[in-house]
Amino acid sequence: MVHPVRNRTQGNTSFSVLWFGQHYHSRKHVVLIWINTQLTVLCYPYVCCVQAQVLYDFTAEPGNNELSVQEGEILTVTNQNVGGGWVEARNSRGNVGLVPEDYIEGVNGNETWTATTWSNNNPFRFSVCYFITACDGDGDCCHVTVGSIYSFDEEWDDDSDDGKSTVGYGGSQMEEGGTMQRGGAHSTMKISLNKFPGFSKTPNPEVYLLTKSVAKGNDKLPIYAGEVGPVWLYPQIQLDCVVADPKKGSKMYGLKSYIEYQITPNTTNRPVNHRYKHFDWLYERLVEKFACALPIPCLPDKQVTGRFEEEFIKMRMERLQGWMSRMCRHPVISNSEVLQLFLNYRDEKEWKLGKRKAEKDEFVGVKIFSTIDPELPELDPGQVEQKYEMYSQFTRSMDNSVKELLAVGHLHWKRCTGPLQKEYRQIGKAFQNLSSVFNTSAYPRESTLTEALSATGKTYEEIAELVAGQPKKDLHFLMETNNEYKGLLGCFPDTIAVHKAAIDKVKEADHLVTMNKISQQDKHIMEKNLSTMSYALQAEMNHFHSNRIYDYNRLMQFYLEEQVKFYETIAEKLKKALGQYTTM
C-alpha cells in the first residue's frame, strides 16, 4: 500500500501526493496523486532544474547513457536522485546523460533539490496527462486526459509518518537539506573518489573507560599469552576466499551498468555475488565496529572513467582479492558476523536482514573494547604508555620507508617504460646503422662482421622490450603489497590516537578523585580498562608483525626470483649475440 507523503485541500478539492519521481521514457517529472477519489499521474517538464558548472573534463563511456562534458561548461541538472554518485544533466545542445556528481557544482546560489524544497518553495502547475488504468511494457499508461490544470501556491501540509518524503527510484529516505539517512546515521550519500582511512576526529575513550560490564558469549573477544606476547584467538581453520569471474550487469532499465564479482569462501565453496557498493558497505561496517582497535585499510579507490575496461576490471579484482584476503586472515574480523554474512548469505532476504542487524550493532567505536577479555594480569599505566610510544614510533618509521620504496618503484617503472627502453632501442639502432655502413665497403670478408653487428642491434632492441615489460612481472607485486601496507599504516595513527587519549584521561584520574568527580573505584576501573585497551593494541601489533614478516619474506623471494630470470634471459641473449663474432 502507498501512503501519502503530502496532503493538501483547496476549496472542495483534496489532493494527496503518493509518490514523486521521474518517468524515464518521457523525460518528464511525475507525481502520483489522489485528486478527490481519483488516482492520477501528473506530469510536468523539468520543473526546478538546477544549473551547475563542470569542474573537470569527463569522457562518457560508450553505451552507458553518460554525457561527455568539459571544464567550465554549464549544465542543467534534470535529476539529482539517480544515486551511486551520479546525476542526470542536460547540456546546452539538448543532450541528456549521466555525469559524476563530484565533477559539478551548483551555480547562482541553487540549493539542493528535494521533494520538500520543491513542493514548499515553488508554486507549480500540473497537467493531468494519464489515468492509471492500464500500462504497457514500457510503463506508459493509457486513458490520457488533456487540458486539466491544477495550481498550488500555498505550502503542503506534512502528514507523513516520519516527516520525510519518498523520492526517486527506490524510495530512499531524505532528511531536510537533501542528505540521505543510512542505518540511522546522518550522512550524505555521496561517493568520494578518494577515500581516507580513520576518523574525522579521535573518538572519546571515556565512553569505554568507565564501563564496568564485559560482553558475554559470542560477542566476547579473548586475548591470550602467546610466544611473542598477547595474541588474539586464532581459528582452527584459516578463512580465505577467491574473488573471480567479474560480469557486467545493468539496472534502471539498462540505464546504469555495474560489475558484479563472484566470491567463494573456502569454508563452504559456495559462491556469492557482490558489486563494489557491497564491498563498500562491508568496509563501512568494519570501520564503524573495529577501527578504534584494529586498522581497517581502505578499499581500492572508486573510479568514474574507464571502469568497464578490461584492464581496470582485472586490476580492481586483484586489489579486492588482496583486501578480502587480508580481512579473512585477521582472527577477529574473519569471525565477525558482518564478514560471515558477506561471504555466506543464501538469499536476498537473509542478506537484507543481516545488513539491518549489522547496522544496529551496539558494540561499535570505543565500545568494541568492552567485548575484549584478556586472560592476563592487569598492566600498570606506565607500561601501557611505554608500549604506545614503541608502536607509534615503529608504525611512523615503517610508513615513511614504505612511501620511499613506492616513490622509488614508481620512478623505476617510468624509467623502464620510458627513457631506459628508448636508450636500449637507440643502442640497437646504432649497431644496425653501423652494420649498414660496413656493408657498403665492398670488402669481400665483411659479411660475418656485418651480420654479427646487425644481430647485436636486434638483440638490444629485444632487450629494450624485455626492460619495458619486466615491471609487470616483478615490480607490480612489490608495489601492490607496499600499497596495501601503506593503507594499513595510514590507519594506525587514528587507532593509536584512541589509546593516547585514553592514557591522558587516566592520568587525570587522581585529579578527578580529588575533585570528587569520580571515586577510587572508578579510577581503578579506568586503569583496568586502559590495560585491556593496551592488550588489544599489543595483540593487534603482534598480528601485524606476524603478517608483515610472512608477506615481505614471500614478496622478496618472488621479486628476486623474477629479477634473476630477467637478467638470465638478457645474459642468454647477449651470449648468443657474442657467439656470432669470429675469434681473431
Side-chain angles (χ1 to χ4, degrees):
M1 180 177 180
V2 182
H3 297 284
V5 296
R6 285 288 183 271
N7 291 328
R8 176 78 174 100
T9 301
Q10 184 172 342
N12 296 323
T13 307
S14 71
F15 310 91
S16 294
V17 173
L18 304 178
W19 183 84
F20 183 95
Q22 187 181 41
H23 188 268
Y24 262 91
H25 298 286
S26 63
R27 295 290 180 185
K28 291 181 178 181
H29 295 107
V30 178
V31 175
L32 183 61
I33 189 170
W34 281 103
I35 302 178
N36 290 335
T37 60
Q38 191 169 32
L39 184 62
T40 310
V41 175
L42 306 175
C43 302
Y44 53 98
Y46 300 118
V47 174
C48 297
C49 296
V50 176
Q51 296 294 306
Q53 185 175 25
V54 179
L55 300 176
Y56 318 104
D57 292 347
F58 171 70
T59 303
E61 291 279 347
N64 202 36
N65 296 294
E66 296 171 355
L67 180 66
S68 295
V69 293
Q70 294 183 337
E71 181 181 349
E73 187 177 352
I74 300 297
L75 305 175
T76 300
V77 178
T78 54
N79 188 358
Q80 293 187 351
N81 300 312
V82 173
W86 296 83
V87 297
E88 185 188 66
R90 185 175 69 243
N91 61 20
S92 58
R93 297 177 297 280
N95 299 323
V96 177
L98 300 176
V99 179
E101 64 181 356
D102 286 337
Y103 278 47
I104 62 174
E105 66 176 359
V107 295
N108 299 329
N110 287 300
E111 63 179 337
T112 303
W113 181 69
T114 69
T116 303
T117 57
W118 177 84
S119 62
N120 286 346
N121 300 330
N122 297 279
F124 47 88
R125 294 167 62 83
F126 290 127
S127 64
V128 179
C129 53
Y130 304 120
F131 290 100
I132 298 182
T133 54
C135 298
D136 60 23
D138 292 327
D140 295 318
C141 302
C142 56
H143 296 301
V144 178
T145 300
V146 181
S148 300
I149 304 295
Y150 297 90
S151 299
F152 306 94
D153 296 331
E154 301 175 28
E155 291 186 355
W156 292 76
D157 296 322
D158 191 350
D159 291 334
S160 60
D161 293 335
D162 56 2
K164 300 177 181 69
S165 52
T166 305
V167 184
Y169 304 106
S172 301
Q173 285 189 326
M174 305 287 287
E175 60 183 1
E176 293 293 330
T179 56
M180 282 191 178
Q181 290 188 324
R182 184 170 180 173
H186 296 267
S187 60
T188 303
M189 279 293 291
K190 187 173 183 179
I191 293 178
S192 171
L193 300 183
N194 294 295
K195 290 184 177 178
F196 299 95
F199 320 97
S200 58
K201 59 182 180 180
T202 303
N204 186 356
E206 288 182 54
V207 176
Y208 163 68
L209 285 176
L210 290 170
T211 300
K212 298 179 182 180
S213 60
V214 177
K216 299 177 181 179
N218 293 333
D219 291 324
K220 191 175 178 180
L221 300 176
I223 295 177
Y224 299 99
E227 294 180 3
V228 295
V231 293
W232 300 111
L233 175 63
Y234 283 80
Q236 291 183 344
I237 300 176
Q238 176 65 61
L239 178 65
D240 200 2
C241 68
V242 176
V243 181
D245 197 22
K247 292 181 179 178
K248 189 174 181 180
S250 63
K251 61 178 182 176
M252 300 177 186
Y253 306 103
L255 184 69
K256 283 298 300 171
S257 298
Y258 57 85
I259 299 298
E260 192 170 60
Y261 302 88
Q262 189 178 84
I263 300 95
T264 308
N266 63 342
T267 50
T268 64
N269 288 321
R270 182 175 58 82
V272 294
N273 295 321
H274 284 296
R275 294 165 53 186
Y276 180 87
K277 73 171 188 177
H278 300 152
F279 285 93
D280 195 41
W281 176 87
L282 174 63
Y283 165 75
E284 289 175 359
R285 298 280 71 76
L286 292 176
V287 167
E288 183 180 30
K289 184 169 180 66
F290 295 115
C292 284
L294 318 174
I296 309 295
C298 288
L299 286 170
D301 286 343
K302 180 76 174 175
Q303 180 161 320
V304 174
T305 58
R307 62 195 183 283
F308 297 121
E309 293 176 3
E310 185 176 346
E311 187 175 348
F312 171 74
I313 293 172
K314 181 181 178 182
M315 179 191 71
R316 168 170 280 182
M317 184 176 70
E318 181 182 328
R319 290 179 175 175
L320 287 174
Q321 176 70 72
W323 189 85
M324 285 298 299
S325 294
R326 195 161 295 280
M327 296 300 101
C328 288
R329 282 162 60 184
H330 197 287
V332 174
I333 295 173
S334 64
N335 198 43
S336 66
E337 288 188 9
V338 65
L339 186 65
Q340 290 295 324
L341 168 71
F342 188 84
L343 293 175
N344 297 315
Y345 77 94
R346 294 186 176 276
D347 51 41
E348 193 70 17
K349 182 179 178 181
E350 185 178 350
W351 169 246
K352 289 181 178 179
L353 288 173
K355 284 177 67 179
R356 292 194 192 101
K357 182 181 178 182
E359 289 164 1
K360 293 177 180 178
D361 191 352
E362 294 180 0
F363 293 106
V364 297
V366 292
K367 291 183 179 179
I368 190 65
F369 293 110
S370 65
T371 68
I372 296 171
D373 184 22
E375 299 181 2
L376 298 162
E378 187 176 329
L379 292 172
D380 179 81
Q383 294 175 285
V384 172
E385 189 165 15
Q386 185 181 10
K387 292 288 185 183
Y388 154 79
E389 293 291 349
M390 180 177 66
Y391 296 143
S392 181
Q393 183 177 350
F394 177 83
T395 52
R396 280 199 306 268
S397 299
M398 184 176 172
D399 188 40
N400 291 333
S401 295
V402 165
K403 288 175 180 176
E404 180 185 9
L405 184 56
L406 285 170
V408 171
H410 281 300
L411 182 62
H412 181 63
W413 194 309
K414 287 177 68 175
R415 276 185 49 76
C416 287
T417 55
L420 208 55
Q421 181 189 31
K422 185 178 179 181
E423 287 172 16
Y424 277 109
R425 284 175 175 172
Q426 288 173 338
I427 292 170
K429 187 176 181 181
F431 281 134
Q432 292 189 69
N433 288 340
L434 185 62
S435 174
S436 298
V437 171
F438 284 1
N439 256 330
T440 63
S441 68
Y443 189 71
R445 301 176 67 180
E446 190 78 58
S447 61
T448 302
L449 176 61
T450 55
E451 287 173 4
L453 274 171
S454 179
T456 301
K458 291 178 181 178
T459 296
Y460 274 91
E461 287 181 343
E462 291 172 0
I463 290 173
E465 301 311 309
L466 288 173
V467 167
Q470 187 60 25
K472 288 185 177 180
K473 295 181 179 179
D474 52 23
L475 189 57
H476 168 74
F477 299 100
L478 185 69
M479 300 288 281
E480 285 297 304
T481 300
N482 276 278
N483 264 318
E484 282 186 40
Y485 272 90
K486 179 186 173 185
L488 267 173
L489 292 162
C491 300
F492 271 108
D494 287 327
T495 301
I496 291 176
V498 178
H499 294 265
K500 174 61 175 172
I503 291 169
D504 292 340
K505 289 294 181 184
V506 171
K507 284 181 177 180
E508 297 175 11
D510 286 328
H511 177 67
L512 294 173
V513 171
T514 304
M515 298 291 290
N516 292 321
K517 291 187 176 181
I518 63 171
S519 65
Q520 282 289 347
Q521 185 181 4
D522 290 332
K523 177 190 171 184
H524 176 69
I525 290 172
M526 291 176 70
E527 291 175 346
K528 183 177 183 296
N529 286 345
L530 179 64
S531 175
T532 297
M533 291 179 68
S534 180
Y535 277 128
L537 181 59
Q538 290 179 60
E540 185 54 32
M541 287 305 300
N542 287 332
H543 172 75
F544 175 80
H545 289 319
S546 174
N547 275 271
R548 173 180 57 83
I549 291 169
Y550 172 80
D551 287 340
Y552 277 91
N553 186 67
R554 182 180 58 116
L555 174 66
M556 292 310 300
Q557 283 182 327
F558 176 81
Y559 178 74
L560 291 174
E561 284 171 359
E562 291 298 315
Q563 284 278 289
V564 169
K565 291 178 186 176
F566 169 65
Y567 285 109
E568 284 179 345
T569 302
I570 290 177
E572 286 299 318
K573 287 185 176 294
L574 292 174
K575 285 178 181 178
K576 184 177 179 181
L578 175 63
Q580 297 193 45
Y581 291 89
T582 304
T583 302
M584 305 297 288

